[in-house]
Amino acid sequence: MVDIQTLSADIVPYAVSAISVYGAAILTRLETDAADSSVNLGYRIVQRILGRRGGDGEIESAVTDLAEDPNDTDLQAVLRVRIKSALLADSDLVKDIQAMLSQTHVSINASGEKSIAAQTITGIANTGDSATIQR
């Protein structure tokens, strides 16, 4: 069983990054070779959701509003709720989005002496020899 709440929450950051780049133009099919893979994935996800049958304009409205201010967390929440509704109504859409997300991969590289490679650092990262760290 798919957790639609989690899936919709996973989708929104990709959609927001694409909306930040393309704005409301994302509502139309664009020929794009986005350099950033998360923007490209977000674009493909939004296009797939918009392409579902029986769309009622709620996703389009949320995208248009969010395009005005992509950093507005309330507008991001509206998009997440509308995406969640679309996922609940269409099991094929859920499968398609899951497939898209499963094809993503993270590549983390570090080079050079004392380099750190991490997807997320939540604490102190120190590469010095004699550092004093106080909390």
Side-chain angles (χ1 to χ4, degrees), residues 6 43 51 60-61 64 76 82-83 103 107 115 117 132:
T6 301
Y43 172 77
E60 292 88 344
S61 174
T64 301
Q76 291 175 13
R82 297 211 172 134
I83 287 172
Q103 294 173 4
S107 177
S115 295
T132 302

Side-chain angles (χ1 to χ4, degrees), residues 8-52:
S8 60
D10 289 346
I11 292 168
V12 170
Y14 294 106
V16 169
S17 69
I19 292 166
S20 296
V21 171
Y22 297 116
I26 199 169
L27 295 172
T28 60
R29 290 210 175 259
L30 301 169
E31 291 299 321
T32 180
D33 291 324
D36 185 316
S37 62
S38 66
V39 171
N40 190 25
L41 177 59
Y43 172 77
R44 291 186 1 248
I45 288 172
V46 170
Q47 286 298 312
R48 174 59 185 98
I49 293 169
L50 291 172
R52 78 187 197 290

